[in-house]
Amino acid sequence: DVKVTQSSRYLVKRTGEKVFLECVQDMDHENMFWYRQDPGLGLRLIYFSYDVKMKEKGDIPEGYSVSREKKERFSLILESASTNQTSMYLCASSGNRAANQPQHFGDGTRLSIL
Amino acid sequence: AQSVTQLDSQVPVFEEAPVELRCNYSSSVSVYLFWYVQYPNQGLQLLLKYLSGSTLVESINGFEAEFNKSQTSFHLRKPSVHISDTAEYFCASKGGTSYGKLTFGQGTILTVHP
């Protein structure tokens, strides 16, 4: 069974801090994704990666960056956290580049910026 | 760009009643469709998927969805719901040429009352 693990379930940070959210998958998947989830807006794609050191902007990349140094790990970075980045963050992975592969999700990190 | 619309943000229903959660997607040459479920404080789990073939797809816990190309719909149905079906449900689409990127609807909160 695919396992996507996010390092923290809950996180509280201060405005202006640099924040790292970590995600690890154990299925050797090529594709990894970061979403944020807000009530009434569904999931919005921040960044995704289809290979090590490769990254592509999603729909809302502003204020975020990502790092993928190893295939199993995909990090989301908030360079200077702001209160409007308070949200639930979900990481996902999927195998190969075929579009019909479903994504597998972690349990999410609920991030609060004070 | 793909878009997905879930027509109801909240659906309250009594236990053992039937339910339909509506989803419409923007037309594409080829499209793959998914329903995900999110229980409280958890990540998203794949409920069912349409890739090709039979337009009626089923999940192991009694949900089904029908792909209707002419109406660009992929509504989710269950003939008799249980309290344990209370969750948020997300419809998602994926174009045939993407790197597995999903486009999500806004989500529908299904609340089953005793």
Side-chain angles (χ1 to χ4, degrees):
Chain A
D1 213 14
V2 178
K3 183 78 173 170
V4 179
T5 303
Q6 295 184 231
S7 54
S8 304
R9 292 297 304 274
Y10 301 93
L11 208 53
V12 180
K13 296 292 182 181
R14 295 196 179 279
T15 303
E17 280 192 71
K18 190 169 186 177
V19 180
F20 293 85
L21 302 184
E22 305 288 346
C23 175
V24 176
Q25 50 93 3
D26 66 356
M27 283 302 293
D28 202 37
H29 282 169
E30 287 82 0
N31 305 318
M32 295 189 75
F33 307 84
W34 274 107
Y35 297 89
R36 64 176 283 174
Q37 180 182 8
D38 300 288
L41 297 178
L43 277 73
R44 293 179 292 168
L45 182 64
I46 304 171
Y47 268 96
F48 70 100
S49 168
Y50 54 88
D51 205 346
V52 176
K53 296 192 185 295
M54 305 302 290
K55 60 184 180 184
E56 293 281 344
K57 292 180 180 179
D59 300 317
I60 51 164
E62 296 78 18
Y64 303 94
S65 63
V66 290
S67 172
R68 192 157 180 211
E69 296 297 317
K70 294 184 178 181
K71 193 174 186 179
E72 67 271 20
R73 186 180 296 272
F74 191 37
S75 303
L76 179 69
I77 303 156
L78 285 65
E79 297 290 346
S80 177
S82 63
T83 54
N84 63 11
Q85 293 178 308
T86 291
S87 186
M88 169 73 95
Y89 290 87
L90 291 165
C91 175
S93 72
S94 67
N96 70 45
R97 294 180 185 179
N100 61 3
Q101 294 298 308
Q103 291 183 13
H104 302 269
F105 285 82
D107 284 337
T109 296
R110 190 168 293 280
L111 175 64
S112 297
I113 306 296
L114 304 180
Chain B
Q2 298 263 338
S3 69
V4 176
T5 303
Q6 291 182 242
L7 297 161
D8 307 292
S9 59
Q10 297 192 52
V11 173
V13 65
F14 287 110
E15 194 173 19
E16 298 184 6
V19 71
E20 179 180 79
L21 307 184
R22 297 179 293 167
C23 172
N24 286 95
Y25 65 93
S26 61
S27 181
S28 178
V29 174
S30 63
V31 64
Y32 306 103
L33 296 164
F34 306 83
W35 275 99
Y36 283 84
V37 59
Q38 184 179 35
Y39 299 104
N41 297 316
Q42 294 186 24
L44 274 68
Q45 302 173 30
L46 181 67
L47 190 60
L48 47 76
K49 60 185 178 183
Y50 170 77
L51 303 179
S52 64
S54 172
T55 57
L56 186 66
V57 290
E58 298 177 353
S59 72
I60 58 172
N61 57 354
F63 282 95
E64 64 180 29
E66 186 164 16
F67 171 62
N68 188 319
K69 189 173 183 179
S70 63
Q71 297 186 9
T72 61
S73 68
F74 190 56
H75 301 332
L76 181 70
R77 301 184 183 96
K78 189 170 185 179
S80 176
V81 293
H82 303 288
I83 297 286
S84 59
D85 292 324
T86 293
E88 189 162 15
Y89 293 79
F90 292 94
C91 182
S93 73
K94 193 187 294 187
T97 58
S98 70
Y99 279 110
K101 286 172 57 179
L102 282 172
T103 299
F104 283 90
Q106 299 88 338
T108 298
I109 297 173
L110 173 65
T111 305
V112 181
H113 298 279

